Amino acid sequence: METAAGESADRIEQLRARAARLREHSLRATSEAGSGHPTSCLSAADLVAALFFDVMRYDPADPGNPQADRFILSKGHAAPLLYAAWAEAGAFPVERLLTLRRIDSDLEGHPTPRFPAVLAATGSLGQGLSVGVGAAWSAKQLDRRDQRIYVLLGDGEVAEGSVWEAAAIAAHYRLDNLVAIVDVNGLGQSQRTMEGHDAARHAERFAAFGWHAMAIDGHDVSAVVRAFDAAAAVRDRPVAILARTNKGQGVSTLADRDNWHGKAVKKGAELDAALAELRTAAPSVRLAPVRARVRAHVAPAAVAKAVDGPQYRADEQVATREAYGTALAKLGSVNPLITVIDGDTKNSTFAERFLAAHPERYLEGFIAEQNMVGAAIGLSACGKVPFVSTFAAFLTRAFDQIRMAAVSRATIKLAGSHCGVSIGEDGPSQMGLEDLAMMRAIPHAAVLYPADAVATERLVEAMTQQPGIQYLRLARPKTPILYGANEQFAIGGSKVLRAHAQDRLTIVSAGVTLFEVLKAHDALAREGFHVRVIDAYSVKPIDAETLRAAARATHGRVLTVEDHYGDGGLGDAVLNALAAEPASVVKLAVDDIPRSGKPEELLRLFRLDAASIATAARAAAG
Amino acid sequence: METAAGESADRIEQLRARAARLREHSLRATSEAGSGHPTSCLSAADLVAALFFDVMRYDPADPGNPQADRFILSKGHAAPLLYAAWAEAGAFPVERLLTLRRIDSDLEGHPTPRFPAVLAATGSLGQGLSVGVGAAWSAKQLDRRDQRIYVLLGDGEVAEGSVWEAAAIAAHYRLDNLVAIVDVNGLGQSQRTMEGHDAARHAERFAAFGWHAMAIDGHDVSAVVRAFDAAAAVRDRPVAILARTNKGQGVSTLADRDNWHGKAVKKGAELDAALAELRTAAPSVRLAPVRARVRAHVAPAAVAKAVDGPQYRADEQVATREAYGTALAKLGSVNPLITVIDGDTKNSTFAERFLAAHPERYLEGFIAEQNMVGAAIGLSACGKVPFVSTFAAFLTRAFDQIRMAAVSRATIKLAGSHCGVSIGEDGPSQMGLEDLAMMRAIPHAAVLYPADAVATERLVEAMTQQPGIQYLRLARPKTPILYGANEQFAIGGSKVLRAHAQDRLTIVSAGVTLFEVLKAHDALAREGFHVRVIDAYSVKPIDAETLRAAARATHGRVLTVEDHYGDGGLGDAVLNALAAEPASVVKLAVDDIPRSGKPEELLRLFRLDAASIATAARAAAG
């Protein structure tokens, strides 16, 4: 145990004094900003004081040290408290706390990685525990490091299902280096929470989910340190500390009052009175300096090994999802940072090939997509290169986490299989038809949609070679091999597959429908009607230059074909590329809620088969 | 209690015989289709037999009867079992079961409302319990009807957090007319579930969430009917029956075996052997006919009262989110079907005004967005007109439920407040910047983005006048009143706000940025540079005709301005409207992850303020 000293009077007085200062900083900073959530800081101040000035092993001079114990503020609206703790520990001058929420400050309204101690952006509630699962699994399973992860949640946010996804999985993997602290202040934004101040009821839930759970008084600093001491001794299960608190604790005009969520105390008399009350109650002790309790960080050596290229016969039929699994297994052998999470679909996404080759770096995510993406953010924050796979349709479940991954500047690789109506009989609930729209909306994300196994393998490799978020769209059906083993694919590229001096139209497609386009091309060519065909495997960034050149060469006539809903997909990407051109773009896409049926029947129903494409091409060429 | 007869031998034999037939139908239909999930049907067959042939009060001749007890198959991949139960009850000839998964059949691979007994499409796991919460709350709170809602879940899907959102809220509202049955067969798609066959552990979790929970043997028909009898006697809390089962039960080559998820038994010898085994074990009894146990359905009388129009002074500043609350309260007075769910943001979205006026039709959803949308699907299925509100950013949490609402052909109205960087200091986690992209992707959904309070009130009214999904995008800042009280707004419309014979450019905007565009217009006009200004308050359907006319009148030069990320929003909607025109479109949008700051600073940072718009306008006009 780290804290063998017990709860000496001085230890407790030190923490009470620190807590008073954290409260003071939180009030001052929000009053200076004129907005923020001071009362949500005050409820958690004693808990955070104990963590930062007693429990956690870290180096105040190196807040990003990857070997330190990590703190995740899931209740992100208490950001001023987080900043106050780091400033008070000595990471930066406390005066800078007064820049809170300013456009030139790194102390944002909710935490983002602009502030270097922040593992992941928070503020969309209920996401921090999943980030903690990723970080705790990384420390325990991958880095095999004595490192503890502390996640502070609000009691309102445990209504979010993502918390219980994380809770179940943390217990399943026996993450005894993960400690969740719930600040049970009983008040949400607009009314009392469902459970009010009943910390014991929250504790029962965590216990039922397999956690070691303790309900305590979150303002009794002795009880708080005893709980953390006890947490350090628990083996084989994660620990939850359910701390009964009062929102606004320490200031009598705020404590446990309604209508004080997200409101700053007015500068002047109101603030002065609150600060005076805090100071009067604070013990007067000489504060002990905070010393580094973690080794200096050594960056791991870079890895650079060549991966085996794609190996397919020209006459083979291979689903892109299968090539994804093959690529992952190969890349895992040359890059030890690659980890894979799949949502009980590994036999459909072929992530099972990575599991077979590198079982120690595979995290079964079960049917809990939000937690998968949250955990991947945690893995990214720990320097890993996480891939997350499930059906494309089910990635929509994690859109909020994906959005927050972007705010977190995380490096995560998403793979969505079973896209489009071409999955067939399973029907619309299983068809990814809005995934391109969802992923295109994320700034700086790459959106990739390979048509064959060769392109898939090369693009998975390309995904591992750059930071940030990339999405790979994968299809269910087996399709022909289109490219030679040495063909190169770059994020942002495209392939002109057919071109003729008399091309009257450019057809842009990707994935499964590209094969229908090629069939349409051949049928039209037999009529003497020539069309250019482009494989836009990089939907974002799209290869605007190639598209513009093709549009100009084909009288400005362009047809797009995609197995995706009409709004937000490949067609819209092409429209953007040609926004400044006098081009005329016609889109073929899925224009209604689909149904069950055979893949080829459904492609025909939505006019995405070769015959329909040929008809549309003739019409589009005028 | 409905089932006072006790568990007579005949009662049990009847059910065992029915269960055998349900298993037989499930096997036959999937074998005929050549795909599907027969083993997931077999595990639940005894449970479903008890529900359909003993417990539920319904009319086989009228599967959609809204007064009947309702059954929701959350584990949608067991669809063949659902269809078999209805056919066996007499709703349609059992021969039709063999059309399963065909493109001309209503018996889809996963249930959709093409089949009239289906309240909501399922197949994206973990959503059915929320639908059940909506339906149970509707029956108990709104219709005050003795009606019970049964939801069958798989054990794999309880890993989905949405299940626990629904569980907490069902207990909070004491929905004792809601019964969840979990088919604990221990096997997921690709491996064992986290809890395996431990039904008791699942029961502990439901109990900790406030449910009356019972763990039973799901193949012991006596135990099953006893559990349902007990469930009917429970008051003040929902009931969970955790039934230990075997996947593939009844066929020795399938029962509790790996690698049988989502696989049909081969027609011929393999199927014949399985059927023979089932028949040998089935009791030979004469099956009792199924009689209607519910009154014939009477449609409620239509309502049509006029609502009070908007009442604002021309010099007022009103946030659109505030007008939303005002409109809801007024419309609630003329339309008793309107119900409102909000996610503990009612003092931000102003849904609190509906709560104040119509408390009996307000459901506090707490911080659980997935459950809010799921419950709204349930309310829609019960004939209500549900509105769901929270911050636009947090609706991304429910994208999968929104997607499934579309597959369900549900009528739900979504309102997302605090859109864009114009919320200011709270920072990117709270800014809705991908909501237009998300909602545009949904087929047939309307996407509305009013600039002022008058337009907001009129559009909320328009939303109540049509079925399906509509999304209303709401802003945080107070903005001027732009329109007179009698101005009319239609879904699919737009307003040309400024037009001049010498217009050199069309600027299309909506919401907060429209006021910046108007300021830019005035500044440019003072230079003698005239621009046309369009309020595209209906982003989808977009008013393509007006946009085309404007583009033609302004030399094909168009500038779009929106407080949203660049891909998928208003600019893309305009590009689509002009896809066949020789127009040149320039988009101004948020092109990077934003940060905290003052609203006006952030608009300037992302070049969405009047000065930047004027600069872009000059450049775009060439």
Side-chain angles (χ1 to χ4, degrees), chain B residues 2-314:
Chain B
E2 284 298 309
T3 48
E7 31 166 329
S8 69
D10 182 57
R11 185 186 178 197
I12 302 304
E13 291 301 281
Q14 285 282 333
L15 296 179
R16 288 187 55 222
R18 290 287 189 182
R21 289 177 62 89
L22 299 184
R23 289 192 164 94
E24 196 175 317
H25 293 317
S26 301
L27 283 178
R28 271 186 198 285
T30 47
S31 293
E32 182 68 28
S35 66
H37 303 76
T39 57
S40 304
C41 298
L42 268 52
S43 63
D46 300 300
L47 300 164
V48 168
L51 279 167
F52 275 74
F53 303 100
D54 188 85
V55 176
M56 291 203 303
R57 300 157 300 179
Y58 66 102
D59 180 356
D62 181 14
N65 185 313
Q67 289 161 168
D69 289 343
R70 308 305 297 250
F71 176 71
I72 298 162
L73 182 69
S74 189
K75 49 172 282 182
H77 51 290
L81 177 66
L82 174 75
Y83 307 142
W86 281 102
E88 190 67 13
F92 62 90
V94 293
E95 292 71 33
R96 190 137 71 79
L97 293 170
L98 298 183
T99 68
L100 180 72
R101 294 179 158 241
R102 286 197 341 213
I103 198 162
D104 56 355
S105 172
D106 288 346
L107 308 180
E108 296 203 66
H110 293 75
T112 76
R114 287 185 206 276
F115 185 70
V118 169
L119 283 194
T122 51
S124 181
L125 291 170
Q127 299 195 13
L129 196 58
S130 295
V131 177
V133 164
W137 187 77
S138 183
K140 195 176 158 88
Q141 167 76 11
L142 305 178
D143 301 325
R144 298 176 186 271
R145 208 182 253 166
D146 174 27
Q147 181 180 32
R148 300 177 75 77
I149 315 296
Y150 297 91
V151 183
L152 179 64
L153 298 90
D155 55 343
E157 70 173 311
V158 302
E160 288 285 9
S162 49
V163 172
W164 300 102
E165 295 183 6
I169 283 168
H172 183 73
Y173 291 107
R174 303 175 180 279
L175 299 179
D176 51 15
N177 57 339
L178 178 65
V179 181
I181 308 103
V182 184
D183 178 16
V184 186
N185 66 31
L187 284 171
Q189 172 181 321
S190 70
Q191 66 168 70
R192 294 259 149 200
T193 61
M194 277 185 275
E195 314 307 334
H197 270 123
D198 195 343
R201 192 187 294 194
H202 286 291
E204 273 171 44
R205 293 185 182 175
F206 276 94
F209 273 72
W211 289 53
H212 181 93
M214 299 176 263
I216 63 165
D217 176 345
H219 299 312
D220 175 347
V221 176
S222 296
V224 172
V225 299
R226 277 200 306 275
F228 282 118
D229 285 354
V234 172
R235 293 288 171 271
D236 280 337
R237 47 180 57 198
V239 177
I241 298 172
L242 294 305
R244 189 202 187 286
T245 61
N246 290 313
K247 210 159 168 174
Q249 174 76 3
V251 179
S252 48
T253 49
L254 305 177
D256 201 28
R257 298 285 175 95
D258 284 332
N259 299 317
W260 265 105
H261 182 92
K263 266 186 212 167
V265 172
K266 276 203 198 77
K267 277 176 80 172
E270 203 177 296
L271 175 62
D272 294 344
L275 296 176
E277 186 179 347
L278 284 172
R279 277 190 211 131
T280 308
S284 69
V285 290
R286 186 152 168 264
L287 292 170
V290 179
R291 293 206 178 79
R293 291 168 63 192
V294 67
R295 283 170 303 165
H297 163 223
V298 184
V303 236
K305 276 195 251 174
V307 69
D308 292 340
Q311 294 184 314
Y312 299 99
R313 296 190 320 273

Side-chain angles (χ1 to χ4, degrees), chain A residues 471-599:
Chain A
Y471 171 59
L472 185 72
R473 185 177 216 230
L474 298 168
R476 178 175 179 275
K478 287 181 186 290
T479 42
I481 298 296
L482 203 51
Y483 295 106
N486 295 319
E487 189 81 28
Q488 295 302 307
F489 294 81
I491 292 175
S494 69
K495 298 287 174 189
V496 180
L497 294 183
R498 302 287 184 272
H500 186 280
Q502 273 94 55
D503 281 342
R504 295 169 59 190
L505 174 76
T506 297
I507 309 185
V508 186
S509 191
V512 169
T513 51
L514 187 63
F515 297 96
E516 299 298 316
V517 170
L518 290 172
K519 282 186 245 169
H521 166 276
D522 294 352
L524 291 167
R526 286 191 291 271
E527 299 170 14
F529 183 125
H530 296 285
V531 297
R532 192 152 301 191
V533 177
I534 295 180
D535 175 4
Y537 63 82
S538 179
V539 177
K540 179 180 176 173
I542 192 128
D543 186 354
E545 202 178 325
T546 299
L547 291 172
R548 281 196 286 264
R552 286 173 193 165
T554 59
H555 319 286
R557 295 198 181 96
V558 177
L559 178 69
T560 66
V561 185
E562 62 190 309
D563 191 0
H564 183 275
Y565 284 142
D567 285 320
L570 175 63
D572 282 9
V574 171
L575 276 169
N576 273 279
L578 302 177
E581 298 284 312
S584 175
V585 179
V586 174
K587 301 198 308 191
L588 291 185
V590 179
D591 60 358
D592 201 352
I593 306 290
R595 55 175 305 138
S596 290
K598 292 194 171 68

Side-chain angles (χ1 to χ4, degrees), chain A residues 35-37 101 109-110, chain B residues 391 423-431 596-597:
Chain A
S35 67
H37 303 77
R101 293 178 158 242
H110 293 75
Chain B
F391 285 21
I423 71 162
E425 290 85 349
D426 270 342
S429 65
Q430 317 293 302
M431 295 169 175
S596 290

